[in-house]
Amino acid sequence: MEKSFVIKGNVCQTKKPQELDLHERAFVVCLDGVSKGVFGVLPEEYSNLPLYDYGDLLIFPGMVDLH
């Protein structure tokens, strides 16, 4: 499984409890297994990474910490 890639789609995330942010046609960058953020325009330094384009599908980034 690749650890560095870009996902494109409609990204829905929460920055605060009870507040949703929707970023249409945005890019989620994962570098060495770590999320680098959500971008409206893909930064040039990530343009060589594999791109998975999910069109108009919703993307919900998430993480589960079982500590």
Side-chain angles (χ1 to χ4, degrees):
M1 183 171 160
E2 296 180 68
K3 290 186 135 195
S4 297
F5 54 89
V6 178
I7 297 173
K8 182 180 180 187
N10 296 318
V11 181
C12 186
Q13 65 178 2
T14 57
K15 291 184 179 180
K16 299 179 197 173
Q18 300 180 358
E19 182 178 314
L20 292 175
D21 291 323
L22 178 62
H23 306 273
E24 294 183 54
R25 295 174 294 282
F27 299 87
V28 178
V29 175
C30 184
L31 191 61
D32 294 323
V34 177
S35 175
K36 292 298 179 182
V38 177
F39 303 92
V41 176
L42 183 63
E44 181 67 29
E45 65 262 32
Y46 304 125
S47 64
N48 64 330
L49 295 176
L51 173 68
Y52 300 98
D53 188 342
Y54 291 101
D56 284 332
L57 295 178
L58 284 174
I59 299 169
F60 294 92
M63 184 181 108
V64 177
D65 185 354
L66 298 177
H67 284 74

